[in-house]
Amino acid sequence: MDATPNRTPEREAFYREISPHNLAPLWDVLHTVVTKEPVSPAKPAIWRYDAEVREYLMRTGALITAKEAERRVLILENPGLKGKTSVTHSLFAGLQLIFPGEVAPAHRHTQSALRFVIEGHGAYTAVDGERTIMEPGDFIITPSWTWHDHGNDSDKPMVWLDGLDVPLVRLLDASFAEPGNTETQMVTRPAGDSLQRYGQNLLPVDWKPERKTSPIFSYPYPRTREALATLAKNGDPDPCHGHKMRYVNPATGDYAMPTIATFIQLLPKGFATAPYRCSDSTVFVCAEGEGESKIGDQSFAWGPRDIFVAPSWHRTTHRTRAESVLFSFSDRPVQDKLGLWREDRGNR
Amino acid sequence: MDATPNRTPEREAFYREISPHNLAPLWDVLHTVVTKEPVSPAKPAIWRYDAEVREYLMRTGALITAKEAERRVLILENPGLKGKTSVTHSLFAGLQLIFPGEVAPAHRHTQSALRFVIEGHGAYTAVDGERTIMEPGDFIITPSWTWHDHGNDSDKPMVWLDGLDVPLVRLLDASFAEPGNTETQMVTRPAGDSLQRYGQNLLPVDWKPERKTSPIFSYPYPRTREALATLAKNGDPDPCHGHKMRYVNPATGDYAMPTIATFIQLLPKGFATAPYRCSDSTVFVCAEGEGESKIGDQSFAWGPRDIFVAPSWHRTTHRTRAESVLFSFSDRPVQDKLGLWREDRGNR
Amino acid sequence: MDATPNRTPEREAFYREISPHNLAPLWDVLHTVVTKEPVSPAKPAIWRYDAEVREYLMRTGALITAKEAERRVLILENPGLKGKTSVTHSLFAGLQLIFPGEVAPAHRHTQSALRFVIEGHGAYTAVDGERTIMEPGDFIITPSWTWHDHGNDSDKPMVWLDGLDVPLVRLLDASFAEPGNTETQMVTRPAGDSLQRYGQNLLPVDWKPERKTSPIFSYPYPRTREALATLAKNGDPDPCHGHKMRYVNPATGDYAMPTIATFIQLLPKGFATAPYRCSDSTVFVCAEGEGESKIGDQSFAWGPRDIFVAPSWHRTTHRTRAESVLFSFSDRPVQDKLGLWREDRGNR
Amino acid sequence: MDATPNRTPEREAFYREISPHNLAPLWDVLHTVVTKEPVSPAKPAIWRYDAEVREYLMRTGALITAKEAERRVLILENPGLKGKTSVTHSLFAGLQLIFPGEVAPAHRHTQSALRFVIEGHGAYTAVDGERTIMEPGDFIITPSWTWHDHGNDSDKPMVWLDGLDVPLVRLLDASFAEPGNTETQMVTRPAGDSLQRYGQNLLPVDWKPERKTSPIFSYPYPRTREALATLAKNGDPDPCHGHKMRYVNPATGDYAMPTIATFIQLLPKGFATAPYRCSDSTVFVCAEGEGESKIGDQSFAWGPRDIFVAPSWHRTTHRTRAESVLFSFSDRPVQDKLGLWREDRGNR
C-alpha cells in the first residue's frame, strides 16, 4: 500500500483523454489523499503579541475604522496556508481591535465565533440583546446565526482573539450571513444575565435549548481560574496536559460550541509535559506565565498574550518557567462527533 | 455589509509589510469567506454511464490491474474542483471496476466508504470477516477503520460507485491508513449475517455499538425497493422529493454513516418536483427509470446508472419520463450535527 | 447494618404518639425497605395454557361479551400479589380472547401495551388507523396514548397475551384514559404499512419520532424466527441466554417500548443454560419447543403457549427437550434509564 | 368505558373458581386500574417544622442514638399511605437529625438520596471521599450505590430533609445495600472539590461520567439564591411558577438525579400563582418567606422549614405574604424518560 503505480506514457495519454470528461485515476493520487497518518499543510507557528503583533495591530487604527472594516481583524495566517484565511486547516484565528468610541456593527452568520480577551477593559460584545463586558482571560461566544456587535465605551484600545470555523463552513458550503439594520442591537437583558440564568448548575424549569451552542455567552476568567487553582491544589497534574479542563455547554455537557472545542489548562512552574499528539490541530494562547513548547521539530518560547499553533499529529511538549495558564481551541468536537478523533499519549 | 474596503496604496503597502509575519487583513476578504449564501466552487455536472463513462472504465482494465492500482477507480472529478479528488466540496465519488478473478487487496483507513452497485453480479466486498455479495442497487458500507477487500468470483466485470468523505477527512487532517498483511481477509461469518443480526428490528441482547456506523454492511436493493413501493402505494408523494427515505443505522436511528447521508427516492412516472435547495451538495445515481433534472440553470437528462451532482444551495427540480428511483448521498449528517444544515422548499 | 433496634415500651409509646402527626421512625423499617438484595413479593409461577388456562378462558365467552367487558382479559395474577393486578411487581399480564365477529372497542390510555399472539389467525389490532393482522408469535405494540381497538373477522377464537405497565403507571400516579367515540377506528393505512415504512432499515426522510415507542406496530414472527435461525447457525449460544435478541425501536435503537423490554431467544435442543439472575422480573412465553426452567428453588416444565414468571434476582436456568423459542418481557428499560439494572452471570 | 360489568352470581362463582389458578377478571377492575385521570392514594399534607415536628425530632435524641438507628430519621408519612414509608406514591421523605459528636455510619444502597438542609451549621455528608459541609438551604446528593456517612462536628444539632426513591426502587425490586467496614470513610479530597471540578461550566478534559447522577455533591444555597435573584430582577415571573429553576447535572444538562427532580423557585411578595397541576406528585419545602398553598380543596399556610406535599394532578396555587423561596422535588425525571409526564397550566 505504499507504491503509486508508474506513470507510463500510455497511462498519461489515457489520463489526458479522460480529463475533459471529468474523470481521473484514483491510483495516481491514492496515497496522497488517503495517508497513513495526517499530513497537514499547516505548519507550527507563533505570533508574539507584545514583541511583534501588537504594533501592527495598533497601526491598523490609522489605516481603517472599525466601521469601514466591519471587523478590524488581522488574520493569523498559518504559514503553510497563505491566502487561505486559516490558522489551522479547518479553523480561522484573528486579532480584533476596537478603539474607544468605535463600534463593530451588528451582523450574523452561520460561522460560530469565540473571543478570548487579550487586552483592555470594559468593551462589550452584544449577543441576543445582552452586552457582555470583556475582561482579559474571558472566553466569550457568538453562536451561529446570532446577531452580534461590539463596542468600546472605555478609554483604551480593546483587543481579543477571534476563533471561527470559517474553513470548515466553507468546505461544507454552508455560509449564510446577514447585516443588521441597525449598527448596535437593542439591549434587552442586563450584563451577566446568561451566566446567572444558565451557568449556576440550574436551568429555567421550562427552558429547552434551541441551539447546539452554550446558552452562556461569557465564561469569565476569575471563575475559570478558581477552578484551575482548586484542581492544582487537590490533585496531581496529568503528565501530558497538566491540569486541563474543557469549557462546557451546561445544557448538554458537550463542548461549549458544536464546531470548536475550547480548553484551559494550568501548568505548574517548572513542569515539563510528556510528548503528546492528537488529530485536532490546536491553537494555544498564553493567558499567564511563560514557557517553551516544542511542536514537531520546532521550539517556541512564549509569554503572556502569545499565540501558537500545533498542527494535527505533531508531537508536542510544553515546559514552563513560571506557573502558566494556556487557553486553547481546536476542531475536536467535529472529529468526536464523526468518530475521527485520535490521540497518542505515548512517548517516542 | 456588502462593500469591501478600497485597496489604497497605503493599505497595500501595509498588507505587504505584515504578510511575512503571517498576518493579513480580514476586511479585504471578509465577504468572500463569510458569504450571504453558499458560494460553492463545485458545479452541477453529470456522468453518463452507458453513453460515455463505461467505455473509459473498461479500458482501464488494459491499463492497470486491480492489484497494482490497489483500487481501480476512476474519480468523478467535479469540473469546478479539478485536481481536488472531489465530486462535491466535501465528498469524493469514483467508479470502481473489478474484473473476474481480480482482488482489491485488504486495507483500512479512517475515511468512510459507501458502495452503490452499478453493474455485474456476485462480486463481494468483505468487511469484518463477512463477505457481502454485491447486486445492482445494493448499498454497501465500509465503516471507518475496518479492514475491507473486494473480489470478483463471477465471470463478468463488476462496477460500483464509491462515495467517500476524503475531502472532509483531509480538511480535518485526520487521515490514517494501514495495508493488510494478507490480500484477502479471512471469512469468519457467512454472507448476510450482519443483515439478519442487526437488520430485522432486533439486536443481540448484550450487543453495544462500537462505532458510529451502521452494523449492517449491506442494504439489499429488493428490500429497499419493496419499502419504496409500499410508500408509493399508501400515500401521496412529497412535492419536492416524491417518496424519499434515508438509510438508517438500526442501533441509533441516525444516518447509516456518521459523515455521509444516503437516500433513496421513488419518483412516479411523469412526476415533476417543486423547486428545492439545501445546503448539502448531493450526488444522485439513477437506479431505475429516466428523467431530467434542472440544477441551478443547467438541465441534465438521465437514465439508469447515470450520476449527477447538485451543489449546495442550487435550486433543483426533477421531472420523470418513467417511474424512477434515485439513490443519493451528501454530507448532511455533518451539517446536522454541527447545526448548519438548511433547506429551502419554497418556489422562486 | 443488620440489626433493627429493639422496640422498647418507651419507643413504642413514642411511635404511637407521633403517628397521628404523620411521622414514623425509619430505623424500625430501614432494613425492610432498603434491603441487601431484592426481596420481591412476587413468586415464581407458571400458567399452563393448553392444560389449564385455555378452558377457563374459553368459558368467559359464555359469561360476558367482549363489548361488555371492554377487554375480555383474564389477569395472570402473581400468587404473591393477589388482588394487585400484577404478574410481576411492576407489570401486568393477561390473556385476551376475542370470538369471531366480536369487537373490543376503541379507547386509549397512558399505559403501554404489548400483545404476543397465542392462538388463532386473522384477527386484527388497529392502532393509529392501521389494522395489523395477528398471527401466532407476532409481537404487536399499542403505544401509550394511541387509539386502539381489536376485532376478529375470522371464524375461530383469537387469543393473545397482553403485557402492560399498569402497576408502574399506578405508582407514578400517571394514568389517563379516554373512550373512543366510535367502536372501531377508521382505517387510514393498509395493513403492514408501518413495517415497510419504518422497519426496513430506512426511515421517511423528514419523519421525526413523536413518541418514545417504536413506530412499527407489528414485529411478525416469521421475520424474527429467521433472524434467530441465522444467529443459531452462525455462532455459539451464550451460556446464560442461548441466542437472545431484544426487539428494537428503529428510530432510536432503544427497546421497542419505553417501559417494557421485549426479548426473543432460541435455545437449541438439549441446551442447559448457566445460572443467571437479574434485577428485572421477567415473564416468559413459550413460542416453540418444550423444556423445564428452575427459578429460585422451583422447577416448571413448559411447552408451547405456557407462560411463566421469574421474579427479580431469582437464579434461573432453562433446559430444553426440543429446540425452543421463548418470548419474554420485563421492566428492564426503566431500570436501565434509572441506572438500577443489575445482572449476575456467575454460577453459585 | 365507564361502567364496570355487574357481578352476577354466575360470574362471582367463576371468579372464585379461577382464583386458585392465579387468574382474575380484568373487566371487574379495569376502570380502577386504568383511570381517566390520576387517582392518587396520596393526600395533600403539611408538616410544620417549628410548630410541631421539631419537638418530636429532638425527642428522638433521648430515644435512640444515631449509631443505633443507623439513620435517625423520622419518616414523613403521607396520611393516605400510612405504613408505606412514602411521602408521595413513589417517593420517600424524612427528617434526619444528628447531634454534635454523632456519626451516621457509612453504607451504600441503590436508592438515590437528596438532602435539603433545614437547620444547623457545619455537619458534613461524606460521599466518595469528599466531605461536604452542610448549611441551611444547601441541596446535597448521595448518588445511587455511593458510600456515604454523616457526622456532626459542630456544637448544635443538625437537621436535614431526606428525599429518596425508596418506593420506586421497591416496585422495581431493585434494592441492593451494603454496610461499610468502617464507620467513617476516609477523606481523599478537600471539601468543595466536586463543585469546583464539575460545577464551573468546565469539566476535566478526559473525564467521562460513570453514573447518571450529577458529579457535584453539593449545590450551595448562596449560589442558587443569587441565580434566583438575577432571574427575578431581569424578567417577569411565570404565572404558575414564579421564577423557577431545576437543578442540573452539568455533565448532561439532565436533572441532577436520574429518579428525582429537584427545583427551586422564588415567589415575589404578594404573588399569587395561577392554578397548575401536573402528574408528578411534589414535595415542597419552604426555604424562605411565608405564604399559603391551596392543593386540591385544602389550604395550607406555611413558613420557613415547613414541608408540604401536592399529590399528582391536584390543582395547586401558591400565595405569598413575603418574598418566598420554595425547594421542591418529584419523580418527574422518571415520567419524562418514560413519556408519561403531563401538566395542565389552564385555569379551572
Side-chain angles (χ1 to χ4, degrees), chain C residues 106-172:
Chain C
H107 66 191
R108 63 176 180 175
H109 41 67
T110 49
Q111 288 83 358
S112 294
L114 70 88
R115 329 292 178 180
F116 186 76
V117 182
I118 299 291
E119 75 164 83
H121 299 275
Y124 65 81
T125 284
V127 176
D128 268 4
E130 179 178 336
R131 284 188 177 178
T132 293
I133 304 305
M134 303 169 91
E135 296 292 326
D138 292 354
F139 158 52
I140 289 162
I141 301 177
T142 314
S144 177
W145 207 240
T146 49
W147 295 110
H148 56 286
D149 52 85
H150 312 285
N152 187 347
D153 298 338
S154 81
D155 57 359
K156 292 270 177 54
M158 189 92 199
V159 178
W160 62 82
L161 180 77
D162 282 328
L164 285 95
D165 50 13
V166 163
L168 177 67
V169 173
R170 180 166 51 206
L171 186 83
L172 298 172

Side-chain angles (χ1 to χ4, degrees), chain C residues 69-89:
Chain C
E70 191 166 333
R71 293 298 184 265
R72 189 167 50 215
V73 172
L74 285 187
I75 304 166
L76 306 185
E77 273 201 327
N78 191 287
L81 293 159
K82 299 292 277 188
K84 303 277 189 190
T85 338
S86 305
V87 71
T88 68
H89 207 164

Side-chain angles (χ1 to χ4, degrees), chain B residues 190-263:
Chain B
D193 183 84
S194 75
L195 183 59
Q196 288 294 338
R197 196 174 290 269
Y198 307 109
Q200 298 284 40
N201 303 311
L202 298 161
L203 289 173
V205 67
D206 288 325
W207 177 78
K208 288 205 174 52
E210 285 165 12
R211 324 184 173 106
K212 295 175 186 290
T213 307
S214 172
I216 304 175
F217 299 134
S218 172
Y219 294 71
Y221 191 59
R223 190 161 161 176
T224 299
R225 190 62 180 82
E226 187 190 340
L228 284 178
T230 299
L231 252 72
K233 198 177 61 192
N234 294 358
D236 292 330
D238 176 89
C240 295
H241 297 311
H243 304 279
K244 187 169 184 179
M245 304 189 90
R246 58 183 184 87
Y247 292 87
V248 165
N249 177 349
T252 60
D254 206 343
Y255 293 99
M257 308 171 72
T259 48
I260 310 179
T262 46
F263 305 98

Side-chain angles (χ1 to χ4, degrees), chain A residues 193 196 200 223 226 234, chain D residues 193 196 200 223 226 234:
Chain A
D193 182 85
Q196 288 294 338
Q200 297 285 42
R223 189 161 161 176
E226 186 190 341
N234 294 358
Chain D
D193 183 84
Q196 287 294 338
Q200 298 284 42
R223 190 159 161 178
E226 187 189 341
N234 293 358

